Amino acid sequence: MKKYCFILFLIASFAVNGQGDCDYANSYLVSAYSHVKDSYDSNNINHLQYYANRSLESFKNAKKEFTDCNCKEALDLTDKCIDLLSKVDDADTYEKGRFYVKRARDYSKNSVIEIDKCSAATPVKEDSADLAVAQGGGGDDDLTDLQNEQLKLKQQQEALKLKEQQIKMKLAEQKQKEILIKKKKLILSYESAITANINTYNETLNICGCINYKPFRDSKSLEDMTEKSIEDVKSHYLTRIKTMASEYAALINGCQE
């Protein structure tokens, strides 16, 4: 009876210690990644800095948990994120702050991947002295079977956790792709509308005997614009359209009869 009480105690110990040494660090890194994505998607510097600070705090908490987590790759990436996000508050422009956030977001994503690898590779810890006591000094086959089953269960849980994180990462990447496609469609729609406006302006100017309208070339490339938020894209093109309308009106008003 005493031997089986020890067996139950061992099972309870496995349950209590079921979390791997990297689990808490992993949790903080996932939270940090979520906040840094929110920061990157912000459309003003206040929100960008707010979420960047929340992400920075999560990274700092994660670093504390690396004492018991032997995962150098994830720790190195965490240090890089802390260094980058620490600069966001001092950024004097939205664009400069977003530059730091973008790099931190990329490092953050990789830190989650690396710590998942470490978590999945962490073996179940066994105390040989406790096992010997639990076995009563003998080679108890029942206890060995329980240990093997516990090890299998731990490995299955770790595999499922890794799969869950991979799915989350894929969903986040898919969302980013969808946003990028939406922005590109919006940009192309604005460019098409601007081209149509220029053609209409020049047709009217030709009829009136005025010189053609030649707008200034936009220095922003498609790649530059896709780095902006959707609200910033709309604001950029609205400003362009208003400027074009003012320049066209000035040409008409200055045209000789």
Side-chain angles (χ1 to χ4, degrees):
M1 179 67 180
K2 186 180 294 184
K3 179 168 64 178
Y4 286 105
C5 288
F6 275 114
I7 293 174
L8 292 174
F9 171 78
L10 180 64
I11 295 173
S13 297
F14 277 132
V16 170
N17 297 317
Q19 279 192 317
D21 290 338
C22 294
D23 283 359
Y24 293 110
N26 192 335
S27 177
Y28 281 122
L29 289 184
V30 171
S31 176
Y33 178 57
S34 175
H35 291 318
V36 79
K37 286 194 303 176
D38 288 338
S39 178
Y40 182 76
D41 291 337
S42 299
N43 57 15
N44 62 74
I45 193 168
N46 290 330
H47 288 168
L48 180 134
Q49 291 175 335
Y50 170 75
Y51 287 111
N53 283 327
R54 292 193 64 182
S55 181
L56 177 60
E57 189 65 28
S58 292
F59 276 121
K60 289 180 177 179
N61 288 331
K63 187 171 182 178
K64 295 176 184 177
E65 300 297 336
F66 274 99
T67 303
D68 299 319
C69 175
N70 184 22
C71 193
K72 185 177 184 302
E73 294 81 1
L75 178 58
D76 289 344
L77 290 165
T78 296
D79 285 335
K80 290 180 180 179
C81 290
I82 290 174
D83 179 61
L84 287 165
L85 293 174
S86 297
K87 300 175 182 178
V88 175
D89 264 354
D90 294 330
D92 52 3
T93 64
Y94 169 79
E95 288 74 17
K96 187 180 294 185
R98 200 161 186 258
F99 169 77
Y100 295 131
V101 168
K102 182 179 185 297
R103 293 185 64 192
R105 181 197 64 176
D106 296 338
Y107 284 136
S108 176
K109 174 182 174 181
N110 290 329
S111 74
V112 174
I113 294 173
E114 291 300 329
I115 201 169
D116 279 339
K117 292 178 183 177
C118 292
S119 297
T122 302
V124 176
K125 294 184 177 179
E126 298 178 356
D127 191 318
S128 57
D130 288 344
L131 294 181
V133 172
Q135 291 174 342
D140 190 64
D141 292 339
D142 290 339
L143 181 55
T144 301
D145 290 341
L146 284 173
Q147 291 173 301
N148 290 336
E149 288 299 320
Q150 185 66 38
L151 177 59
K152 290 179 182 178
L153 179 60
K154 176 67 175 178
Q155 291 172 338
Q156 290 171 355
Q157 290 173 337
E158 289 171 344
L160 287 173
K161 185 175 180 180
L162 178 59
K163 186 68 175 177
E164 180 185 5
Q165 293 295 342
Q166 290 173 341
I167 291 173
K168 287 181 179 179
M169 298 297 290
K170 287 181 179 179
L171 287 174
E173 290 174 358
Q174 182 63 33
K175 183 178 180 180
Q176 291 299 320
K177 288 180 181 178
E178 290 174 356
I179 292 174
L180 181 60
I181 291 172
K182 183 177 180 180
K183 283 194 283 189
K184 285 184 176 179
K185 287 183 177 179
L186 182 63
I187 292 167
L188 292 175
S189 295
Y190 275 119
E191 290 290 348
S192 177
I194 286 173
T195 299
N197 281 350
I198 292 172
N199 291 336
T200 301
Y201 290 165
N202 285 331
E203 286 177 7
T204 304
L205 290 168
N206 288 335
I207 293 172
C208 296
C210 305
I211 62 172
N212 280 359
Y213 172 63
K214 295 181 179 179
F216 288 107
R217 181 178 176 82
D218 189 2
S219 61
K220 299 290 186 180
S221 66
L222 177 62
E223 183 177 353
D224 291 333
M225 294 305 300
T226 54
E227 287 294 318
K228 294 180 175 291
S229 68
I230 289 179
E231 290 302 317
D232 286 342
V233 170
K234 291 179 179 179
S235 177
H236 173 80
Y237 279 104
L238 182 60
T239 300
R240 276 190 65 187
I241 291 170
K242 287 180 178 179
T243 300
M244 287 172 54
S246 297
E247 292 171 348
Y248 168 69
L251 283 176
I252 287 290
N253 291 331
C255 187
Q256 295 180 352
E257 295 294 340

